Amino acid sequence: MDKIVGYLPILIGGMGVTIAVAILSMALALTLGAGFATLYLRGGRLGRAVTTSYTTIARGIPDLVLMLLFFFGGERAINSVLALMGYERISLSPFFIGVVTLGFIFGAFLAETFRGAYLSVPHGQIEAAQAIGLAPRRILGRIIFPQMLRLALPGFTNTWLVMLKSTAIISIVGLQDMVGLADKAGKATREPFVFMLAVILFFLALTAVSGNLLHRLERRYRPGF
Amino acid sequence: MRFDLIFKHADMFIDGIVMTLELTVASLAIGMLIAMPVAVLRTMRLPYIDAVLRGYVFVFRGTPMLVQTYLVYYGLSQFEFIRDSFLWAVLRSPFNCALIAFSLNTGAYTAEILRGAIEATPKGEIEAAQAIGMSPLRMLRRIVIPGAFRRALPQYGNEVILMLHGSTVASIITIQDILGAGRTLNGKYYLAYEGLVTAAVLYLALTFLIAGAFGIAARHLQAHLRPASTR
Amino acid sequence: MQGLEPSGALRLAVRDLHKSYGALEVLRGISLEAHQGDVIALIGASGSGKSTFLRCINQLEDCSQGEIFVNGEHMDLVHRKGRRVARDPRQLRRIRSKLGFVFQSFNLWSHMTVLENLIEGPTQIHGMHRDEAVTLAQSLLERVGMKGREGAYPAQLSGGQQQRIAIARALAMQPEVMLFDEPTSALDPELVAEVLAVIRDLATEGRTMLLVTHEMAFARDVASKVVFLHKGLVEESGPPAEIFGAPKSERLTQFLKHVRLN
C-alpha cells in the first residue's frame, strides 16, 4: 500500500498528460464540430450528405476500434504517401493518435450539438434582426452566436465528461497517461488494485471538478435568464 | 485490401460476433437486474441507502469502463485471500471479469435512465391510481414502471449501443470478440487495415441493427404518443 | 322531484374539515352530508377551497382536522410526522375504491388503451375476472358515448373524449359516491357540453355525486343542493332555486353577479 506514495508524483504527471490529451482533443473536436455543423447548415444537399456520413461513422464505430485503425492503418497510409513523394518514414505518437481519434469522434457529437443549438434560435429573432436591417454577418455574430453558445453548453458539458473518460483507451497504444502509468506501476509492484483504485479516484476528481465548473457555467448562462 | 484473408477467416469473425453479442446481452441483462431496484430505491430517497446508491452510480458513471475492467481483472488478483477463495474460480476467467465490470457499469447508467423516467411519471396518473385505491407496490408495478419503460426506451437504446461499443474493452483482456478477431487477423499477417476495417464494419452494422430494432420497438411501445390515424 | 330531504341512506359525511398550508388555513371547518341520490354542487371563487375540500375527502391531500365517513365507515386518521394520515393504508384504499374521482385534467394512464384504463381498477383492485371487467367496460363506454374506441390511447383522444373515458373509469369501480373536480375546466369550450351531458345522465339516474364546478347554469339545472364556499367556509347552502334565485348572504350575491348564469 505504501508503494503508491513513491509513485504519486509520476501518477500526477500522468494526470497532466490525461488533461492535456483531453484539452487538445476538445480543441480539435470543437473545430470539427463547428466546421461540420456549418457544412450541414450551409453546404446544401452535398454538405448534409458529407456531414451525415461523418457523424454516422464517428458515432457508429467504437472508439477503441477507430483508434487502433488510426494507429496502425493511419501510420501505414501516411507512410505510403510519403514514400511516393520520396520522404522518410515517420511514426505517429500515441499522443497524436489519441488526440486525432477523440477529436474525430467527439467532433461528430459537437456537430450535432451545434446544429441543434443553431436551429433552436427562434427564427422570429432572425427575422427581427433582418427587419431592422442588420447584415447577415452581424446577425450571425450578434444574434445567433451568443444564443447558440448558451444553448450548446449542456451538450458541450456532456461531451467533455464522456471524452475525459474516453482518454483512458489511449493507454492501450502506449500513451503514458495516468491509466498507462498506473497499469505499469501496478504490474511492477504487484499491487494493481491499489494503483487502479488511485486512477479511479483521479478520474472521479477530474469529472467532479470539471463537471461542477461547467454546470455552474450552465446555470449562469441558462437561456431565458 | 486482402479480402481473401478476411473471408478465409470468416469463422473467426463469426465467433467474434457471437462473443460480442453474448457479452453485451449478458451485461445488459444483469445491468438491468441491478438498475431496476437501484432506480426504484433512489426515487424513494431513503436515508443512508440513497447515499450508497448515489455513490455506486457516481463511481461507475464517473470513471472509464477500461479502468473498471482492469480493477476487476488485474486488481482483484492482487489479494491472496481472493486467489485462495472460491471466488478465484470465477475471477480467473477474463470473460467473467469483463461481465462483472460491464454489468456494474451499464447498471449504473441504466439506473439513472430509469430513475429519470420514473420521476417523469405524470403526477396526475399517480393520483388517479391512488384515487381508485391502489397500493403503492401495485401502483409501481402497474402504472409507474410500465410507463417509465416506455419513456426510457429511446435513451435505453442509446445505452445498448454504448454497451456494444464499450464491450470492445474485452479484447484488451484477451477475449476474442469482434475487435479481438480483427486484431488477431492483422497480427497474423502483419496487416494494417483488413482486420480492423472488418471489425469497424461489423460494429457499424450491429449499431444500425440495434438502432433499427429500437426504432421499431418504440413505434409499438410508444403507440400512445402517436396521434391516431383515424378519428 | 329531488328536494333537500334525504332521499336515502347516508353515503358520505364530512365533519368539521380543516386544512392549512403553513400559516394559511384554506379550509376552516367544513361539514357536509350526501345521501343516496344527492347531487351536490360546490361553487365558489377560485381560492375558496372547493377543490382542496374534494381532494381531502379521498385523501389526495391530507387534512389537519375533521372526520370523514364513507357509507358509514369512519376513516381512521392519525397524526404522523406533522401530517394527518390514514392509520391503516388498507382501510384508506378500501374507502378510496368506493369513491370515484374525476380529475380536472383527466389523468388517464397514458401507456394504457381506453379499455385497459377501464378494466385496470376492477381487475386489480376488485379482483374481477378480465372477461367480466371487459363486459362492464363495454357497457360503460356505451353509456359515455365512446363505444368503438377501446383500442385508442388517451393521447389520441380529444379532451372531451378523455374526460368521458375518465368518468367511465371511475364508474367501473362501482363507487358509492362520485367526486368531480372541475371536470370541464380544462376543456375547450366546444367540448364542455359532451362531458356535461354524461354527468347529467348520471345525476338523473340517482347517483350520489359531489361536483366542484364553475358551470353555474349546469349546477342550477342538475344539482339537488348547492354549497357556496368562501375562504374555506360554507357561506351558504340550499336548493339551487334558493341559492341562485334568492341568495341571502352579501358574498354569494356578489359572487353570482360576477359569474354568468348561461
Side-chain angles (χ1 to χ4, degrees), chain A residues 1-208:
Chain A
M1 207 59 154
D2 46 335
K3 286 174 191 160
I4 191 160
V5 178
Y7 278 96
L8 217 50
I10 300 176
L11 284 188
I12 289 171
M15 184 151 90
V17 174
T18 298
I19 294 171
V21 168
I23 289 175
L24 287 176
S25 306
M26 186 44 95
L28 177 59
L30 283 169
T31 313
L32 287 174
F36 277 101
T38 311
L39 190 62
Y40 184 94
L41 293 164
R42 293 287 156 84
R45 192 183 291 180
L46 184 67
R48 279 201 297 279
V50 171
T51 312
T52 308
S53 326
Y54 163 56
T55 52
T56 304
I57 287 174
R59 301 181 58 172
I61 298 173
D63 48 5
L64 190 51
V65 178
L66 269 180
M67 185 188 67
L68 294 175
L69 202 52
F70 285 172
F71 189 69
F72 295 109
E75 194 174 281
R76 179 90 54 105
I78 288 173
N79 279 326
S80 39
V81 173
L82 287 179
L84 281 177
M85 292 157 64
Y87 287 103
E88 291 278 303
R89 287 183 59 85
I90 57 153
S91 72
L92 300 175
S93 73
F95 190 96
F96 178 80
I97 289 295
V99 169
V100 168
T101 308
L102 296 189
F104 178 81
I105 292 173
F106 292 98
F109 284 85
L110 288 178
E112 307 244 313
T113 303
F114 292 152
R115 183 174 65 92
Y118 178 88
L119 295 174
S120 299
V121 177
H123 190 65
Q125 294 191 14
I126 297 166
E127 286 180 343
Q130 288 168 336
I132 62 162
L134 275 185
R137 181 186 291 272
R138 306 199 76 185
I139 294 177
L140 194 67
R142 299 202 53 81
I143 309 294
I144 299 176
F145 205 63
Q147 301 199 60
M148 260 183 76
L149 285 187
R150 276 186 272 162
L151 290 164
L153 202 50
F156 173 81
T157 303
N158 195 39
T159 305
W160 167 257
L161 292 175
V162 175
M163 203 187 70
L164 207 52
K165 288 177 277 172
S166 282
T167 59
I169 59 165
I170 312 173
S171 65
I172 289 167
V173 291
L175 183 71
Q176 300 296 307
D177 65 338
M178 63 179 170
V179 181
L181 290 168
D183 187 31
K184 238 170 147 180
K187 279 170 180 149
T189 58
R190 296 173 166 267
E191 287 187 1
F193 189 85
V194 177
F195 282 93
M196 278 305 142
L197 203 59
V199 171
I200 285 201
L201 293 179
F202 279 166
F203 264 111
L204 287 180
L206 279 181
T207 47

Side-chain angles (χ1 to χ4, degrees), chain B residues 125 127 138 142 224 231, chain C residues 55 109-110 120 124 156:
Chain B
E125 293 193 19
E127 286 190 345
R138 193 184 297 273
R142 303 285 310 171
H224 62 288
R231 256 282 144 83
Chain C
R55 290 168 62 83
W109 297 306
S110 55
E120 180 69 13
Q124 292 291 315
Q156 301 166 338

Side-chain angles (χ1 to χ4, degrees), chain B residues 122-136 138 141-144 146-147 150-151 220-221 223-228 230-231, chain C residues 55 58 60 92-94 96-97 99 101 103 105-112 120-121 123-125 149 153-158 161 169 173:
Chain B
K123 193 163 157 274
E125 293 193 19
I126 305 237
E127 286 190 345
Q130 287 174 332
I132 66 162
M134 273 200 193
S135 67
R138 193 184 297 273
R141 196 165 56 82
R142 303 285 310 171
I143 310 294
V144 176
R150 286 163 169 80
R151 276 188 295 279
H220 279 282
L221 282 172
H224 62 288
L225 297 178
R226 262 183 311 152
T230 53
R231 256 282 144 83
Chain C
R55 290 168 62 83
N58 73 348
L60 285 172
L92 173 62
R93 296 204 290 270
R94 190 172 60 242
R96 277 173 164 170
S97 73
L99 297 169
F101 202 99
F103 298 85
S105 49
F106 336 130
N107 295 351
L108 293 173
W109 297 306
S110 55
H111 63 287
M112 294 182 182
E120 180 69 13
T123 55
Q124 292 291 315
I125 309 292
R149 301 309 304 270
Y153 284 94
Q156 301 166 338
L157 303 173
S158 73
Q161 291 173 321
R169 176 177 69 177
M173 292 297 288

Side-chain angles (χ1 to χ4, degrees), chain B residues 4-146:
Chain B
D4 56 320
L5 290 177
I6 297 170
F7 287 112
K8 189 176 159 199
H9 293 283
D11 53 341
M12 194 167 74
F13 282 102
I14 289 168
D15 289 346
I17 292 171
V18 172
M19 175 56 80
T20 289
L21 290 180
E22 241 175 76
L23 203 48
T24 305
V25 171
S27 302
L28 287 168
I30 299 172
M32 183 55 85
L33 291 179
I34 297 170
M36 282 202 286
V38 170
V40 171
L41 285 171
R42 281 217 60 201
T43 58
M44 294 179 182
R45 299 201 163 76
L46 306 165
Y48 307 113
I49 293 178
D50 196 51
V52 172
L53 299 178
R54 254 208 335 250
Y56 159 64
V57 170
F58 176 68
V59 168
F60 279 90
R61 290 176 79 222
T63 57
M65 196 157 77
L66 177 72
V67 177
Q68 294 159 14
T69 310
Y70 279 172
L71 193 73
V72 176
Y73 183 63
Y74 297 119
L76 291 179
S77 67
Q78 172 186 328
F79 302 106
E80 205 163 315
F81 68 89
I82 288 178
R83 287 203 305 272
D84 292 342
S85 77
F86 71 96
L87 279 174
W88 194 236
V90 176
L91 292 171
R92 231 172 36 188
S93 127
F95 182 89
N96 291 342
C97 289
L99 189 60
I100 291 168
F102 294 0
S103 303
L104 287 169
N105 182 285
T106 182
Y109 281 95
T110 308
E112 279 305 278
I113 293 171
L114 286 182
R115 185 177 67 94
I118 289 173
E119 284 176 352
T121 306
K123 193 163 157 274
E125 293 193 19
I126 305 237
E127 286 190 345
Q130 287 174 332
I132 66 162
M134 273 200 193
S135 67
L137 212 62
R138 193 184 297 273
M139 191 156 43
L140 199 64
R141 196 165 56 82
R142 303 285 310 171
I143 310 294
V144 176
I145 302 270

